[in-house]
Short mmCIF file of all heavy atoms in Angstrom, two decimals:
data_model
loop_
_atom_site.label_atom_id
_atom_site.label_comp_id
_atom_site.label_asym_id
_atom_site.label_seq_id
_atom_site.Cartn_x
_atom_site.Cartn_y
_atom_site.Cartn_z
N LEU A 1 59.94 65.26 74.12
CA LEU A 1 61.09 64.64 74.86
C LEU A 1 60.62 64.02 76.09
O LEU A 1 60.63 62.78 76.25
CB LEU A 1 62.06 65.78 75.10
CG LEU A 1 62.81 66.30 73.88
CD1 LEU A 1 63.58 67.56 74.30
CD2 LEU A 1 63.60 65.23 73.17
N PHE A 2 60.30 64.71 77.15
CA PHE A 2 59.92 64.16 78.33
C PHE A 2 59.11 65.09 79.30
O PHE A 2 58.95 66.23 79.10
CB PHE A 2 61.18 63.80 79.18
CG PHE A 2 62.00 65.04 79.64
CD1 PHE A 2 61.78 65.56 81.05
CD2 PHE A 2 63.00 65.53 78.90
CE1 PHE A 2 62.55 66.59 81.50
CE2 PHE A 2 63.73 66.67 79.30
CZ PHE A 2 63.46 67.14 80.67
N TYR A 3 58.40 64.40 80.24
CA TYR A 3 57.52 65.04 81.34
C TYR A 3 58.46 65.19 82.58
O TYR A 3 59.09 64.32 82.96
CB TYR A 3 56.37 64.25 81.67
CG TYR A 3 55.46 63.88 80.39
CD1 TYR A 3 55.27 62.44 80.17
CD2 TYR A 3 54.95 64.87 79.58
CE1 TYR A 3 54.40 62.12 79.11
CE2 TYR A 3 54.07 64.53 78.60
CZ TYR A 3 53.90 63.06 78.30
OH TYR A 3 53.12 62.75 77.22
N SER A 4 58.47 66.43 83.03
CA SER A 4 59.30 66.61 84.34
C SER A 4 58.55 65.96 85.50
O SER A 4 57.42 65.80 85.63
CB SER A 4 59.45 68.09 84.53
OG SER A 4 60.25 68.75 83.64
N ARG A 5 59.41 65.58 86.45
CA ARG A 5 58.92 65.29 87.83
C ARG A 5 59.89 66.05 88.87
O ARG A 5 61.12 66.21 88.57
CB ARG A 5 59.05 63.84 88.09
CG ARG A 5 57.93 63.08 87.51
CD ARG A 5 57.90 61.52 87.77
NE ARG A 5 58.92 60.79 87.08
CZ ARG A 5 58.90 59.55 86.77
NH1 ARG A 5 57.82 58.78 87.20
NH2 ARG A 5 59.86 58.92 86.16
N ASN A 6 59.30 66.64 89.83
CA ASN A 6 60.00 67.38 90.78
C ASN A 6 60.53 66.83 92.05
O ASN A 6 59.69 66.22 92.82
CB ASN A 6 59.16 68.63 91.14
CG ASN A 6 58.79 69.52 89.88
OD1 ASN A 6 59.63 69.90 89.23
ND2 ASN A 6 57.44 69.56 89.66
N TYR A 7 61.85 66.83 92.22
CA TYR A 7 62.43 66.37 93.47
C TYR A 7 62.84 67.66 94.18
O TYR A 7 63.82 68.31 93.73
CB TYR A 7 63.61 65.50 93.20
CG TYR A 7 63.36 64.02 92.98
CD1 TYR A 7 62.34 63.68 92.07
CD2 TYR A 7 63.94 63.00 93.65
CE1 TYR A 7 62.03 62.30 91.68
CE2 TYR A 7 63.61 61.65 93.40
CZ TYR A 7 62.66 61.25 92.46
OH TYR A 7 62.27 60.01 92.22
N ILE A 8 62.16 67.99 95.25
CA ILE A 8 62.41 69.28 95.85
C ILE A 8 63.07 69.05 97.28
O ILE A 8 62.60 68.20 98.09
CB ILE A 8 61.15 70.11 96.16
CG1 ILE A 8 60.30 70.23 94.78
CG2 ILE A 8 61.46 71.40 96.74
CD1 ILE A 8 60.99 71.02 93.81
N VAL A 9 64.20 69.75 97.55
CA VAL A 9 64.81 69.55 98.89
C VAL A 9 64.59 70.86 99.61
O VAL A 9 64.58 72.01 98.93
CB VAL A 9 66.33 69.26 98.78
CG1 VAL A 9 66.60 67.80 98.39
CG2 VAL A 9 66.99 70.19 97.79
N SER A 10 64.40 70.85 100.87
CA SER A 10 64.28 71.97 101.67
C SER A 10 64.87 71.73 103.20
O SER A 10 65.05 70.66 103.55
CB SER A 10 62.76 72.35 101.86
OG SER A 10 62.00 71.28 102.52
N HIS A 11 65.14 72.92 103.77
CA HIS A 11 65.60 72.80 105.15
C HIS A 11 64.44 72.64 106.16
O HIS A 11 63.36 73.12 105.81
CB HIS A 11 66.43 74.06 105.53
CG HIS A 11 67.70 74.12 104.76
ND1 HIS A 11 68.85 73.38 104.94
CD2 HIS A 11 68.11 74.90 103.79
CE1 HIS A 11 69.85 73.62 104.19
NE2 HIS A 11 69.43 74.55 103.33
N GLU A 12 64.75 71.95 107.27
CA GLU A 12 63.67 71.70 108.10
C GLU A 12 62.93 72.87 108.75
O GLU A 12 61.80 72.88 109.09
CB GLU A 12 64.21 70.89 109.30
CG GLU A 12 63.14 70.24 110.21
CD GLU A 12 63.66 69.34 111.26
OE1 GLU A 12 64.46 69.86 112.14
OE2 GLU A 12 63.37 68.17 111.29
N ARG A 13 63.67 74.08 108.66
CA ARG A 13 63.04 75.24 109.25
C ARG A 13 61.87 75.73 108.39
O ARG A 13 60.98 76.60 108.84
CB ARG A 13 63.96 76.32 109.37
CG ARG A 13 64.38 77.10 108.15
CD ARG A 13 65.44 78.16 108.35
NE ARG A 13 65.51 79.11 107.19
CZ ARG A 13 65.53 80.46 107.38
NH1 ARG A 13 65.54 80.96 108.52
NH2 ARG A 13 65.71 81.18 106.31
N LEU A 14 61.75 75.39 107.15
CA LEU A 14 60.70 75.77 106.19
C LEU A 14 59.50 74.89 106.48
O LEU A 14 59.55 73.57 106.23
CB LEU A 14 61.23 75.72 104.79
CG LEU A 14 60.26 76.24 103.77
CD1 LEU A 14 59.88 77.64 103.88
CD2 LEU A 14 60.79 75.87 102.33
N LYS A 15 58.32 75.56 106.78
CA LYS A 15 57.17 74.74 107.08
C LYS A 15 56.09 75.10 105.96
O LYS A 15 56.22 76.05 105.26
CB LYS A 15 56.50 75.09 108.39
CG LYS A 15 57.61 74.93 109.54
CD LYS A 15 58.14 73.50 109.81
CE LYS A 15 59.04 73.35 110.89
NZ LYS A 15 59.62 72.01 110.99
N ASN A 16 55.11 74.19 105.86
CA ASN A 16 53.94 74.35 104.99
C ASN A 16 54.26 74.27 103.46
O ASN A 16 53.48 74.65 102.69
CB ASN A 16 53.22 75.61 105.26
CG ASN A 16 52.70 75.78 106.69
OD1 ASN A 16 52.60 74.83 107.39
ND2 ASN A 16 52.55 77.03 107.10
N PHE A 17 55.45 73.66 103.16
CA PHE A 17 55.88 73.67 101.74
C PHE A 17 55.05 72.58 101.00
O PHE A 17 55.08 71.46 101.37
CB PHE A 17 57.31 73.60 101.63
CG PHE A 17 57.80 73.60 100.15
CD1 PHE A 17 58.02 74.74 99.52
CD2 PHE A 17 58.06 72.34 99.46
CE1 PHE A 17 58.43 74.83 98.24
CE2 PHE A 17 58.43 72.41 98.13
CZ PHE A 17 58.65 73.58 97.51
N ARG A 18 54.55 72.97 99.87
CA ARG A 18 53.96 71.98 98.92
C ARG A 18 54.12 72.55 97.47
O ARG A 18 53.65 73.69 97.16
CB ARG A 18 52.49 71.75 99.18
CG ARG A 18 51.90 70.73 98.20
CD ARG A 18 50.56 70.34 98.60
NE ARG A 18 50.00 69.23 97.75
CZ ARG A 18 48.86 68.54 97.97
NH1 ARG A 18 48.08 68.96 98.98
NH2 ARG A 18 48.48 67.63 97.13
N HIS A 19 54.85 71.90 96.71
CA HIS A 19 55.17 72.37 95.34
C HIS A 19 54.05 72.26 94.43
O HIS A 19 53.23 71.23 94.49
CB HIS A 19 56.41 71.62 94.77
CG HIS A 19 56.78 71.98 93.38
ND1 HIS A 19 57.41 73.15 93.11
CD2 HIS A 19 56.49 71.38 92.18
CE1 HIS A 19 57.58 73.22 91.73
NE2 HIS A 19 56.98 72.18 91.17
N SER A 20 53.92 73.17 93.49
CA SER A 20 52.89 72.98 92.37
C SER A 20 53.47 73.85 91.20
O SER A 20 54.13 74.86 91.29
CB SER A 20 51.62 73.72 92.88
OG SER A 20 50.73 73.88 91.78
N ASP A 21 53.10 73.26 90.09
CA ASP A 21 53.49 73.90 88.76
C ASP A 21 52.57 75.12 88.37
O ASP A 21 52.91 75.84 87.47
CB ASP A 21 53.57 72.95 87.59
CG ASP A 21 54.75 72.05 87.72
OD1 ASP A 21 55.79 72.49 88.20
OD2 ASP A 21 54.67 70.81 87.23
N ILE A 22 51.45 75.21 89.00
CA ILE A 22 50.55 76.25 88.62
C ILE A 22 50.10 77.21 89.72
O ILE A 22 49.55 78.19 89.50
CB ILE A 22 49.31 75.67 87.90
CG1 ILE A 22 48.44 74.86 88.84
CG2 ILE A 22 49.54 74.90 86.67
CD1 ILE A 22 47.04 74.33 88.24
N ILE A 23 50.56 76.84 90.98
CA ILE A 23 50.34 77.80 92.05
C ILE A 23 51.54 78.57 92.33
O ILE A 23 52.48 78.02 92.90
CB ILE A 23 49.84 77.08 93.41
CG1 ILE A 23 48.55 76.31 93.18
CG2 ILE A 23 49.76 77.98 94.51
CD1 ILE A 23 48.09 75.44 94.33
N TYR A 24 51.61 79.81 91.91
CA TYR A 24 52.80 80.61 91.99
C TYR A 24 52.73 81.58 93.26
O TYR A 24 53.85 82.10 93.63
CB TYR A 24 52.99 81.45 90.70
CG TYR A 24 53.44 80.68 89.58
CD1 TYR A 24 52.59 80.23 88.51
CD2 TYR A 24 54.80 80.26 89.42
CE1 TYR A 24 52.92 79.53 87.46
CE2 TYR A 24 55.31 79.53 88.33
CZ TYR A 24 54.30 79.23 87.35
OH TYR A 24 54.65 78.44 86.26
N ASN A 25 51.60 81.64 93.82
CA ASN A 25 51.57 82.63 94.98
C ASN A 25 51.78 81.91 96.34
O ASN A 25 51.19 82.27 97.33
CB ASN A 25 50.17 83.43 94.91
CG ASN A 25 48.99 82.55 95.08
OD1 ASN A 25 49.03 81.33 95.11
ND2 ASN A 25 47.88 83.20 95.34
N GLN A 26 52.45 80.87 96.32
CA GLN A 26 52.55 79.98 97.52
C GLN A 26 53.30 80.54 98.65
O GLN A 26 53.16 80.08 99.72
CB GLN A 26 53.16 78.62 97.03
CG GLN A 26 54.68 78.57 96.94
CD GLN A 26 55.31 79.13 95.68
OE1 GLN A 26 54.58 79.85 94.95
NE2 GLN A 26 56.45 78.76 95.32
N ILE A 27 54.05 81.54 98.38
CA ILE A 27 55.01 82.04 99.47
C ILE A 27 54.24 82.57 100.71
O ILE A 27 54.66 82.45 101.80
CB ILE A 27 56.03 83.08 98.95
CG1 ILE A 27 57.00 82.24 98.02
CG2 ILE A 27 56.74 83.81 100.12
CD1 ILE A 27 58.02 83.08 97.43
N LYS A 28 53.03 83.11 100.44
CA LYS A 28 52.27 83.69 101.51
C LYS A 28 51.83 82.58 102.45
O LYS A 28 51.49 82.85 103.70
CB LYS A 28 51.07 84.37 101.08
CG LYS A 28 50.07 83.56 100.32
CD LYS A 28 48.94 84.39 99.70
CE LYS A 28 47.83 83.56 98.98
NZ LYS A 28 46.79 84.31 98.39
N TYR A 29 51.89 81.28 102.02
CA TYR A 29 51.52 80.14 102.95
C TYR A 29 52.63 79.54 103.75
O TYR A 29 52.50 78.88 104.64
CB TYR A 29 50.90 79.00 102.16
CG TYR A 29 49.71 79.39 101.31
CD1 TYR A 29 49.69 79.57 99.95
CD2 TYR A 29 48.39 79.57 101.95
CE1 TYR A 29 48.60 79.93 99.26
CE2 TYR A 29 47.29 79.98 101.22
CZ TYR A 29 47.37 80.11 99.90
OH TYR A 29 46.28 80.42 99.15
N LEU A 30 53.94 79.86 103.32
CA LEU A 30 55.04 79.28 103.98
C LEU A 30 55.44 79.98 105.29
O LEU A 30 55.05 81.11 105.52
CB LEU A 30 56.24 79.48 103.01
CG LEU A 30 56.07 78.85 101.59
CD1 LEU A 30 57.43 79.01 100.82
CD2 LEU A 30 55.70 77.36 101.67
N LYS A 31 56.13 79.18 106.00
CA LYS A 31 56.36 79.75 107.38
C LYS A 31 57.82 79.20 107.75
O LYS A 31 58.29 78.12 107.41
CB LYS A 31 55.33 79.12 108.50
CG LYS A 31 55.49 79.69 109.84
CD LYS A 31 54.33 79.13 110.70
CE LYS A 31 54.35 79.79 112.08
NZ LYS A 31 53.22 79.26 112.88
N ILE A 32 58.57 80.04 108.46
CA ILE A 32 59.94 79.73 108.93
C ILE A 32 59.93 79.50 110.37
O ILE A 32 59.47 80.40 111.20
CB ILE A 32 60.87 80.79 108.51
CG1 ILE A 32 61.11 80.75 107.04
CG2 ILE A 32 62.27 80.54 109.21
CD1 ILE A 32 61.92 81.87 106.49
#
């Protein structure tokens, strides 16, 4: 059918965000 592409929205208070389909432990890097 199709390949996904990700449009991610976030609030400005969330820092260090970078989406990945294979990095699931990313929350430890995020900052508010």
Side-chain angles (χ1 to χ4, degrees):
L1 295 173
F2 68 93
Y3 307 119
S4 292
R5 282 184 287 204
N6 297 303
Y7 279 50
I8 309 293
V9 287
S10 61
H11 292 286
E12 190 176 63
R13 77 179 195 134
L14 183 64
K15 307 299 182 184
N16 301 338
F17 181 81
R18 182 172 186 175
H19 178 78
S20 168
D21 285 330
I22 62 174
I23 298 176
Y24 287 101
N25 66 348
Q26 80 279 20
I27 288 178
K28 66 185 178 183
Y29 301 105
L30 303 183
K31 190 174 186 180
I32 292 174

